[in-house]
Structures are given as structure tokens and as C-alpha cells.
Amino acid sequence: MEDFKKLINTDKLPRHIAIIMDGNGRWAKNNGKPRAYGHICGVQSVRTITEAAAELGIEYLTLYAFSTENWNRPEDEVKALMSLLVSTMEQELPTLIKKDIRLTTIGDANRLPVEVREKMQSCIDKTAGNKRMTLNIALSYSSRWEITAMAKKIAELSIQEKISPENVSEDLVSSLMCTADMPDPELLIRTSGEYRISNFLLWQIAYSELYFTDVLWPDFGKDEFYKAIVDYQKRERRFGKTTEQVTK
């Protein structure tokens, strides 16, 4: 088996990697287990990839944990996911502190159960001073929700006469997004063989490199993560320019 970690150029790491963690349910079905078991096993992959990213020196890791559309899933599954979130935050907090990892979240927190919000905020507060890496969890999140919220903020600023139409720029829009304090992802990974973005970071991934793999999330380990980074580093990032302009 090829050692992809050795192929990584640590001088050209993406600062921000985003992952659509997909395939827990199918993994569970393939193994004759209930969907909730797949989510439990998916947590181990979160631990593994967070550790791998921090060890490499990735500055920001954003994980798509629960979308606004996921609220439409069966009630029992949603309850199990919320319970898993609370228990995982409690279990992982000491590790986050020990490894100097800051926890942040993006999404519509008002829809989350009170217990989840309180536990989440407690973890955010206790890791706020950590500097090694930011682990950003997208929870009750969707891009359409985020963009709608941004549009409302601009409308409010306009009503308050704090801005005029000519002041609306890309920089202003970016400053009103959930990820305003972090760079856009250079690499977006999606597991499980699906080839879609699923309403995730649509503004931020305008120039992200996309990497799709058939591997289901519970089976997505360090080697698969390193493989994605190696693939990313082989690509030419032109941002609308020609090859000749980029290589000058």
C-alpha cells in the first residue's frame, strides 16, 4: 500500500479543509446494524481525521455534521443524533484542550435542543484560547440558510442607513457569513460516492478544489485523508488566470 503521508508537501498544505461526512447510514446497513450505530462509528472517523489534520498542521477543519434538511429525518434518528452530539462533546473536550484545538460551530443554533446548545457553548468557551487548529462543526447549517441570514443583515443595515447599495461588495458579503473569521476552504472532500455539494458552504467554495471518494465516512481513515491532500497538491490552482500567468 502506498504511503500517501510521505508524498505530502508540508510546505503547500491547504490552510482550510472542509468535509461532507457522508455514508454513516449505508455503512450501518451494509454491516447489518441500525443507522444510529453508523453515526456512532462515524464519530471515530471524526476523531481520526481531526487528529491527522492537527498533526499535519492544517489550520482549519470544517465538518458538515448536521444540515438544516436533516431535521426532516425520522424523529428517532434526529433524537439519537442530538444525544450523540452531547455525549461526544463531553467525551472529546479533554482531548481538544490537551491537543490545543479550538472548537467553533456554524449554523442555526436556535433550532438545536437547549441541552445541545449549552454543552456546545461550554466546549466553545473552554477551548477559545487554543491555537493549534480550529475544528469548525457545521451544525443545523445550510448555505441557503446562511445566505438568507446574510441578506437580512444587509437589509437591516440599509434600513438603519448604515450602508447604501453601492457599498455592497464581495468583501462585505464575506464579512457577514458564518466563516468570516477564517479563510475559504482550499479543499472540499465528500465521502460515500455522492457527487453533489448538498447546500454546503456555497459562497466559500467558489474556488475550492473538490475531491470525491466512494469510501463511506466510518471507513475514511488517515490514509484516505492523506490521499485527498496528495491529489489536491497535484492540481493547478489558477483562480481564473491562465497556466502561464500562474507559473510565471
Side-chain angles (χ1 to χ4, degrees):
M1 180 182 292
E2 194 163 12
D3 189 344
F4 288 101
K5 187 176 184 181
K6 289 183 178 179
L7 299 176
I8 294 174
N9 182 346
T10 54
D11 292 327
K12 295 184 178 180
L13 288 171
R15 293 184 65 199
H16 187 176
I17 297 177
I19 305 179
I20 300 173
M21 307 181 293
D22 194 21
N24 289 345
R26 274 168 285 169
W27 185 89
K29 184 177 180 180
N30 293 345
N31 287 275
K33 302 289 186 178
R35 289 179 62 87
Y37 182 75
H39 295 309
I40 292 170
C41 292
V43 170
Q44 179 55 51
S45 289
V46 171
R47 293 190 189 105
T48 299
I49 300 309
T50 299
E51 180 181 285
E55 287 175 351
L56 281 176
I58 304 298
E59 295 177 50
Y60 299 89
L61 177 66
T62 295
L63 303 179
Y64 202 8
F66 192 86
S67 73
T68 54
E69 289 83 3
N70 288 156
W71 290 112
N72 297 320
R73 289 190 175 186
E75 185 178 353
D76 287 347
E77 182 176 353
V78 172
K79 285 182 178 179
L81 280 167
M82 292 299 113
S83 176
L84 181 60
L85 276 169
V86 171
S87 61
T88 299
M89 288 179 197
E90 290 176 335
Q91 292 169 9
E92 298 304 316
L93 179 58
T95 301
L96 292 175
I97 293 172
K98 180 180 179 181
K99 294 186 178 293
D100 199 25
I101 295 172
R102 179 173 70 116
L103 178 69
T104 61
T105 62
I106 56 173
D108 186 3
N110 292 328
R111 296 188 67 179
L112 295 170
V114 173
E115 184 183 13
V116 174
R117 288 204 306 270
E118 290 178 348
K119 181 57 63 177
M120 182 176 70
Q121 191 57 54
S122 175
C123 291
I124 290 171
D125 292 342
K126 290 176 181 177
T127 63
N130 294 350
K131 301 183 184 305
R132 185 182 187 188
M133 186 181 79
T134 295
L135 173 61
N136 182 42
I137 306 297
L139 193 57
S140 189
Y141 171 90
S142 76
S143 280
R144 290 187 173 182
W145 164 82
E146 180 183 29
I147 292 169
T148 300
M150 176 274 301
K152 288 179 179 178
K153 291 174 186 175
I154 289 179
E156 289 170 1
L157 290 171
S158 179
I159 290 170
Q160 296 166 8
E161 298 185 346
K162 293 182 178 179
I163 62 168
S164 56
E166 57 268 24
N167 297 135
V168 179
S169 64
E170 287 189 17
D171 287 343
L172 176 64
V173 171
S174 293
S175 74
L176 297 175
M177 293 298 210
C178 296
T179 56
D181 63 344
M182 60 186 75
D184 290 339
E186 292 98 329
L187 173 62
L188 171 68
I189 299 169
R190 178 167 188 149
T191 62
S192 88
E194 301 291 351
Y195 293 84
R196 56 177 177 268
I197 305 303
S198 294
N199 208 354
F200 184 48
L201 298 178
L202 298 180
W203 175 268
Q204 295 88 339
I205 63 169
Y207 281 102
S208 299
E209 297 296 326
L210 308 183
Y211 180 87
F212 299 97
T213 174
D214 291 335
V215 177
L216 302 176
W217 178 246
D219 290 328
F220 191 83
K222 288 187 177 183
D223 286 341
E224 291 295 333
F225 184 60
Y226 300 147
K227 184 179 178 181
I229 295 173
V230 169
D231 183 88
Y232 160 83
Q233 291 186 334
K234 291 177 180 178
R235 303 186 191 184
E236 182 181 75
R237 290 174 57 73
R238 298 193 301 272
F239 301 96
K241 298 180 180 179
T242 66
T243 298
E244 290 73 20
Q245 287 175 301
V246 172
T247 55
K248 276 184 179 179

